[in-house]
Amino acid sequence: MESSFTAGKSLDNDFRVFVDEYAHDSVDVVVRAANLGEFRTMNRGIAAAFDGKTICALSTPMGMGGIAVIRVSGPDAFDLANRVFSKDLAAVESHRAVFGILRNAAGETVDECLATVFRAPGTYTGENTVEFGVHGSTFIQTEAVRALMDAGCRHAGPGEFTARAFLNGKMDLTQAEAVGDLIAAEHAGAHRLAMEQLKGTFAKEITALRTELIGFAGLLELELDFAEEDVEFADRARFDQLLETLIARIASLADSFRKGNAIRDGIPVAILGAPNRGKSTLLNALLGDDRAIVSPIPGTTRDTIEDTCVLGSSKFRFTDTAGIRATDDALESEGIRRAWQTAKRASLVLYVLDASQDSVAEANAALNALEIGPETDVIALWNKTDLADAPALSGWESLSIAAAEGKGIEALKVRLEALGLTDDSESSIMVTNLRHYEALMESNASLVTTRSGLSNGIPGDLVASDVRQALHHLGTITGEIDPEDILDHIFSNFCIGK
Amino acid sequence: MESSFTAGKSLDNDFRVFVDEYAHDSVDVVVRAANLGEFRTMNRGIAAAFDGKTICALSTPMGMGGIAVIRVSGPDAFDLANRVFSKDLAAVESHRAVFGILRNAAGETVDECLATVFRAPGTYTGENTVEFGVHGSTFIQTEAVRALMDAGCRHAGPGEFTARAFLNGKMDLTQAEAVGDLIAAEHAGAHRLAMEQLKGTFAKEITALRTELIGFAGLLELELDFAEEDVEFADRARFDQLLETLIARIASLADSFRKGNAIRDGIPVAILGAPNRGKSTLLNALLGDDRAIVSPIPGTTRDTIEDTCVLGSSKFRFTDTAGIRATDDALESEGIRRAWQTAKRASLVLYVLDASQDSVAEANAALNALEIGPETDVIALWNKTDLADAPALSGWESLSIAAAEGKGIEALKVRLEALGLTDDSESSIMVTNLRHYEALMESNASLVTTRSGLSNGIPGDLVASDVRQALHHLGTITGEIDPEDILDHIFSNFCIGK
């Protein structure tokens, strides 16, 4: 992205866009390129990513502060930084900070600042890097970036520093994506998942799976080479067993997505109940906010209203739904349809009952009629307990609240926090990224086809093609999708002199 | 300020307050302390400012970004930072960055990050300093600061790093204040003034003035010591001349305040004119905004509406005023009184005329009746030139506009930019700070008293006391208010063996 701004204001906007997009688009550029098959021409090891230009950008949040950091990365980082800085940065050893003056093209002092030098390859991007620590005025931030651009730097695109780190082999794609997740993490759960992924735990598991699969594929390809000799290098029974194991492991990873995604983006909680039981009042009480419109008229809520809050170390995504009852009103019916949809997707349903109105029999009937998934928890909430005592309910977990008075809300929050914690196992790998989930599903589909192909005795070259598909999908997760992998493996492991 | 927050949210608020107050309150703590006479006990050279604690704070703006910097400063910086960091920072040489893991008190990984070590005294604060460059999520920022506080750091008060820099003799008070101004600078003019002040140009001038005055005071004190011998060390005529020069130089510095303040906070421009000439429309056109309420009813604007914008390298502070006419309406009269007040304080009056309505005679009469100061420029603006041509006006600079259509607004802005530039001389020292201005005025008052005392032949000890007053006021500007200065000067320059 060649930046074309000139005025201070539009530069600010560019920064804002950059910062806003950072988390989500961080490696989209790379992922897109990888999916388009452009990946191989710019594979890791290539010194200069994309256009080989040296890039610069404000790396700290926009706004006023004590310090701001402006990062320069690329093959000409020292030369271009030298054009704005009073000391020769090419002569400074790596990981060392020097004090000097940053000047613009007109020779005017922009700031007195620290410049820290990082020499390739031991840097974040894998390229020569300079970080300027300037005074944190918006004016200086803008002018320092402008001075670097005048000196010949290109303004970095969203996430481009991290993209270069990936392209230069400093991290794999899952780690690059973890950087984006880490920056966007708002609570301990999301932070821990991103941190785990950044450490490469998930990537290691995927690589291990791929390695086993590559060994298998290598044997298959070898058979093809010796097809006329009718050799069977690969023991079919062992193959079948290996595939079974792989399919189970990948399926288990894919299964963790629902959980992992809930931790990252919020555990989905549906607030359900008959009309006028105080569902919207409950939502407002939980959020400490007038998020939903509350009225004594049954059926006030038609849209599903959603909002999140962090309780303990977990984020929750609450959805207030339309009251469930038999109705002829088309609009209300649509609302009720959506309420059921929400319930099915939720990890937890809070079913709101009215202690002053609903009988135990009615409550049980309603709870038993809930259309929910097998993994959805349910808590019955007896509301309006300021008007009447909550009846005892057997077979269902229940709590007493008086949402309008805020009574029982804290106890409910404590219960939710506890639910969040049990969802948050530290030991196992969790998939949090839709892209990873889809690749795992695709990969597994190919493996299932491979397995049935093997057992049906279809020709080896067709089986090999299915395995390659599975390998490809696994490879897209970490960014290793080079089909030469398979050949490499053959040549390195099976030196048969052919 | 001992921070008492526990939740993430309140920590954010603390940061916000910190960032917001940074620019303005940066050295108020010190200035207040200095004025309270507490200064001497914590004068420069004292290793640990205030309480001797090691402080920490987020130094980059709050919000999401690629990187955030958390600064630790104080005698125990390395020890306390070591408690959260995976590497021994006490063993790292100064100005060097090392990569490691930042953990909280529970041993959980907060982030993988860079820590840069700065060893006293060659640091910003003059104390041992560690800067952690962490990933810029709000969660990590909060948790990293919390981890450092758990390790024993105190959260820094507003501007405390800069206050420590002053107290440790790394900069004088004017430079410390310049840091605050630099961070708050939104445009080139304010930035340049702050940069000049940060370089110490102003402080050098004040120090030079003080040195001359100290020499003078030294001679006076010496006379007092030898009073019984009736010696007159100091040549009275030379004294009078010196005082005259000093008074003139200090007055000239004080005079620059109006200009300097205008550059920093915005050049005041008053929009004046009879009712319904389109003054509010002009303000909106200049700001590109619907700032003022516009209606065809004369007298719509009653309050003075003020807003600023940056044109070229200068900031302008526009004030829209009530239309000037004879009226019995009490509210409107008050508005008109304020309009005149605004005009008197303005550097420039934009007098709006209606080309379709006002005659040249009327225009001249109105312009001649303007109640403005001697240094206020006036530009007559013929508005509504889409309805009628602008008549020629002699003796007054005039421009044609059609504010409602935005016609002529760009030309007006260009004219304003040029006015801003002539206001912005780079060569001379400019006072931008009200505190400095007041100290200069106080100092000069004491010098004027000294001079008249000398010419009236009042006793030497009374004259000496006035000089001490002048010295004190000059000293408060840079933070050197130690009365021992005078004694030091005597002992170093006049070794008479007594």
Side-chain angles (χ1 to χ4, degrees):
Chain A
M1 182 191 83
E2 191 72 44
S3 242
S4 60
F5 47 74
T6 49
K9 193 140 191 176
S10 70
L11 182 60
D12 290 7
N13 287 339
D14 273 36
F15 278 142
R16 179 63 51 206
V17 169
F18 166 66
V19 170
D20 287 350
E21 291 188 354
Y22 195 98
H24 300 103
D25 287 356
S26 60
V27 286
D28 271 13
V29 188
V30 182
V31 173
R32 267 200 304 274
N35 291 342
L36 287 169
E38 294 163 20
F39 175 81
R40 290 177 63 193
T41 57
M42 49 180 192
N43 206 334
R44 52 184 60 180
I46 297 173
F50 303 119
D51 56 3
K53 289 265 176 67
T54 293
I55 54 173
C56 72
L58 176 73
S59 287
T60 43
M62 194 65 195
M64 196 174 78
I67 315 176
V69 177
I70 290 151
R71 217 186 231 173
V72 181
S73 175
D76 303 324
F78 302 146
D79 281 352
L80 300 187
N82 272 350
R83 290 188 197 168
V84 305
F85 200 62
S86 61
K87 285 186 187 153
D88 179 13
L89 296 169
V92 175
E93 55 181 320
S94 191
H95 289 66
R96 181 165 283 280
V98 291
F99 187 77
I101 295 168
L102 196 154
R103 291 197 180 85
N104 65 15
E108 294 158 341
T109 298
V110 173
D111 202 4
E112 299 176 353
C113 65
L114 275 180
T116 311
V117 166
F118 300 92
R119 291 185 175 274
T123 69
Y124 179 73
T125 55
E127 304 172 325
N128 283 341
T129 300
V130 177
E131 287 184 6
F132 289 103
V134 298
H135 285 98
S137 85
T138 50
F139 182 79
I140 290 176
Q141 291 167 21
T142 309
E143 288 303 305
V145 169
R146 197 195 307 276
L148 283 163
M149 292 175 70
D150 287 344
C153 293
R154 176 167 65 71
H155 195 272
E160 193 171 348
F161 291 95
T162 304
R164 287 183 176 211
F166 161 69
L167 290 165
N168 290 319
K170 302 297 291 186
M171 50 176 73
D172 67 63
L173 265 190
T174 68
Q175 289 173 307
E177 285 166 315
V179 171
D181 287 349
L182 194 62
I183 289 170
E186 293 169 343
H187 54 101
H191 173 258
R192 188 155 52 235
L193 285 179
M195 210 74 225
E196 277 301 312
Q197 194 168 315
L198 185 62
K199 281 183 194 157
T201 329
F202 176 57
K204 274 196 203 94
E205 173 72 8
I206 296 295
T207 306
L209 291 171
R210 278 192 90 231
T211 308
E212 292 189 39
L213 205 51
I214 286 173
F216 173 68
L219 287 171
L220 273 179
E221 304 268 351
L222 207 63
E223 276 188 20
L224 292 179
D225 285 351
F226 292 85
E228 65 276 20
E229 297 166 38
D230 199 21
V231 189
E232 219 178 73
F233 287 85
D235 173 346
R236 288 287 182 269
R238 242 197 62 219
F239 266 11
D240 190 66
Q241 204 174 4
L242 172 66
L243 283 173
E244 190 181 359
T245 314
L246 286 174
I247 289 168
R249 276 163 69 188
I250 292 174
S252 131
L253 279 178
D255 278 350
S256 74
F257 176 65
R258 187 184 150 106
K259 223 180 226 179
N261 193 50
I263 293 176
R264 194 179 72 156
D265 294 338
I267 300 165
V269 178
I271 301 176
L272 255 69
N276 212 22
R277 261 55 176 181
K279 296 181 292 300
S280 298
T281 309
L282 172 64
L283 179 72
N284 290 342
L286 281 167
L287 298 173
D289 199 7
D290 285 339
R291 182 65 183 77
I293 298 166
V294 176
S295 89
I297 304 158
T300 301
T301 303
R302 273 174 176 162
D303 297 309
T304 51
I305 295 174
E306 193 178 284
D307 216 333
T308 62
C309 76
V310 174
L311 300 173
S313 62
S314 308
K315 184 170 168 179
F316 291 83
R317 184 174 297 279
F318 295 102
T319 310
D320 181 20
T321 64
I324 292 161
R325 64 169 170 185
T327 178
D328 291 335
D329 183 286
L331 249 169
E332 205 182 336
S333 294
E334 172 58 20
I336 293 168
R337 199 187 62 76
R338 291 187 187 187
W340 286 125
Q341 222 172 35
T342 305
K344 279 203 194 76
R345 291 195 199 121
S347 293
L348 173 68
V349 165
L350 297 178
Y351 195 88
V352 186
L353 297 158
D354 186 337
S356 68
Q357 185 177 348
D358 297 323
S359 71
V360 171
E362 283 166 336
N364 273 321
L367 287 162
N368 285 321
L370 277 178
E371 300 174 14
I372 53 174
E375 289 176 40
T376 308
D377 288 324
V378 176
I379 300 179
L381 291 181
W382 286 107
N383 192 17
K384 308 189 188 177
T385 51
D386 49 330
L387 305 178
D389 283 342
L393 204 61
S394 66
W396 299 94
E397 177 179 354
S398 67
L399 285 172
S400 297
I401 60 167
E405 280 73 33
K407 242 181 62 189
I409 298 300
E410 276 314 307
L412 174 58
K413 284 185 177 177
V414 169
R415 182 72 192 89
L416 288 168
E417 275 187 44
L419 272 173
L421 280 180
T422 59
D423 248 2
D424 191 12
S425 119
E426 277 187 72
S427 52
S428 66
I429 294 170
M430 238 174 273
V431 176
T432 58
N433 187 306
L434 183 61
R435 193 181 72 78
H436 301 170
Y437 172 74
E438 286 173 345
L440 288 169
M441 296 301 277
E442 296 272 15
S443 176
N444 238 13
S446 298
L447 288 181
V448 167
T449 313
T450 307
R451 198 178 173 208
S452 74
L454 272 182
S455 70
N456 295 338
I458 67 164
D461 50 352
L462 291 182
V463 176
S465 155
D466 288 332
V467 176
R468 264 193 228 108
Q469 277 297 314
L471 270 177
H472 169 84
H473 290 302
L474 279 185
T476 59
I477 295 177
T478 54
E480 299 170 282
I481 53 166
D482 196 329
E484 288 175 15
D485 269 6
I486 301 171
L487 299 175
D488 280 350
H489 188 81
I490 295 174
F491 293 136
S492 64
N493 288 6
F494 299 92
C495 284
I496 49 168
K498 193 179 179 187
Chain B
M1 183 193 82
E2 192 71 43
S3 240
S4 59
F5 48 75
T6 49
K9 193 142 192 175
S10 69
L11 182 60
D12 290 8
N13 286 339
D14 273 34
F15 278 143
R16 179 63 52 207
V17 169
F18 166 66
V19 169
D20 287 350
E21 291 189 353
Y22 196 98
H24 300 103
D25 288 356
S26 60
V27 287
D28 270 13
V29 189
V30 183
V31 173
R32 267 200 303 273
N35 291 342
L36 287 169
E38 294 162 21
F39 175 81
R40 290 177 61 194
T41 58
M42 49 180 191
N43 206 335
R44 51 184 61 179
I46 297 173
F50 302 120
D51 56 3
K53 289 265 175 67
T54 294
I55 53 172
C56 72
L58 176 73
S59 287
T60 43
M62 194 66 195
M64 197 174 79
I67 315 176
V69 176
I70 290 152
R71 218 187 230 172
V72 182
S73 175
D76 303 324
F78 302 147
D79 281 353
L80 300 186
N82 271 351
R83 290 189 197 169
V84 306
F85 199 62
S86 60
K87 285 187 187 153
D88 180 13
L89 295 169
V92 175
E93 54 182 321
S94 191
H95 288 66
R96 181 165 283 280
V98 292
F99 187 78
I101 295 168
L102 196 155
R103 291 198 179 86
N104 65 15
E108 294 159 340
T109 298
V110 173
D111 203 3
E112 300 177 354
C113 65
L114 275 180
T116 311
V117 166
F118 300 92
R119 290 184 177 276
T123 69
Y124 179 73
T125 56
E127 304 172 326
N128 283 342
T129 301
V130 177
E131 286 184 5
F132 289 103
V134 298
H135 286 98
S137 86
T138 50
F139 182 80
I140 290 176
Q141 290 166 23
T142 308
E143 288 303 305
V145 169
R146 196 194 307 276
L148 283 163
M149 291 176 70
D150 286 345
C153 293
R154 176 165 66 71
H155 195 271
E160 192 171 348
F161 291 96
T162 305
R164 288 184 175 211
F166 161 69
L167 291 164
N168 290 320
K170 303 296 291 185
M171 50 176 73
D172 67 63
L173 267 189
T174 67
Q175 289 174 307
E177 286 167 315
V179 171
D181 286 349
L182 194 62
I183 288 171
E186 293 169 343
H187 54 101
H191 174 257
R192 189 154 53 234
L193 285 179
M195 210 73 225
E196 277 300 313
Q197 193 169 312
L198 186 62
K199 281 184 196 160
T201 329
F202 176 57
K204 275 196 202 95
E205 173 73 6
I206 297 295
T207 305
L209 291 170
R210 279 192 89 231
T211 308
E212 292 188 40
L213 206 51
I214 286 173
F216 174 68
L219 289 172
L220 273 179
E221 305 267 351
L222 208 62
E223 276 188 20
L224 292 179
D225 283 351
F226 291 84
E228 65 276 19
E229 296 166 40
D230 199 20
V231 189
E232 218 178 75
F233 287 87
D235 172 346
R236 288 286 182 269
R238 243 197 61 219
F239 266 11
D240 190 65
Q241 204 175 2
L242 172 65
L243 283 172
E244 189 182 1
T245 313
L246 285 174
I247 289 169
R249 276 164 68 187
I250 292 174
S252 133
L253 279 178
D255 278 350
S256 73
F257 176 65
R258 186 185 152 105
K259 222 179 226 179
N261 193 51
I263 293 176
R264 194 179 73 157
D265 294 339
I267 300 164
V269 178
I271 302 176
L272 254 67
N276 212 23
R277 259 56 177 182
K279 294 181 294 299
S280 299
T281 309
L282 172 64
L283 180 72
N284 290 342
L286 280 167
L287 298 173
D289 199 7
D290 284 339
R291 182 65 183 78
I293 299 166
V294 176
S295 88
I297 304 157
T300 300
T301 304
R302 275 175 175 161
D303 298 308
T304 52
I305 295 173
E306 192 178 284
D307 216 333
T308 61
C309 76
V310 174
L311 300 174
S313 61
S314 308
K315 184 170 166 178
F316 292 84
R317 186 174 296 279
F318 294 103
T319 310
D320 181 20
T321 63
I324 291 161
R325 64 168 170 185
T327 179
D328 290 335
D329 183 285
L331 250 169
E332 205 182 336
S333 293
E334 172 59 19
I336 292 169
R337 197 187 63 76
R338 290 187 187 187
W340 286 125
Q341 222 171 37
T342 305
K344 278 201 196 76
R345 291 194 198 122
S347 292
L348 173 67
V349 165
L350 296 178
Y351 196 87
V352 186
L353 298 158
D354 186 336
S356 69
Q357 186 177 347
D358 297 322
S359 71
V360 171
E362 284 166 335
N364 272 321
L367 288 163
N368 285 321
L370 277 178
E371 301 174 14
I372 52 174
E375 289 178 39
T376 308
D377 288 324
V378 176
I379 299 178
L381 291 181
W382 286 108
N383 192 17
K384 309 192 187 176
T385 51
D386 48 329
L387 305 179
D389 283 342
L393 203 62
S394 66
W396 300 94
E397 177 179 353
S398 68
L399 285 171
S400 296
I401 60 168
E405 279 74 32
K407 242 182 62 189
I409 298 300
E410 276 314 307
L412 173 59
K413 285 184 176 177
V414 168
R415 183 71 192 88
L416 288 168
E417 275 188 44
L419 272 172
L421 281 180
T422 59
D423 248 1
D424 191 12
S425 119
E426 276 188 71
S427 52
S428 66
I429 294 169
M430 238 173 274
V431 176
T432 58
N433 188 305
L434 183 62
R435 193 182 72 80
H436 300 171
Y437 172 73
E438 287 173 345
L440 288 169
M441 296 301 277
E442 296 271 16
S443 177
N444 238 14
S446 299
L447 288 181
V448 167
T449 313
T450 307
R451 199 179 172 209
S452 74
L454 272 182
S455 70
N456 296 337
I458 66 164
D461 49 352
L462 292 181
V463 176
S465 156
D466 288 332
V467 175
R468 263 194 229 109
Q469 277 297 313
L471 269 176
H472 170 83
H473 290 302
L474 278 185
T476 60
I477 295 177
T478 54
E480 300 170 282
I481 53 165
D482 196 329
E484 289 175 13
D485 269 7
I486 301 172
L487 299 175
D488 280 350
H489 189 80
I490 295 174
F491 292 136
S492 63
N493 288 9
F494 297 76
C495 285
I496 50 168
K498 194 182 177 182

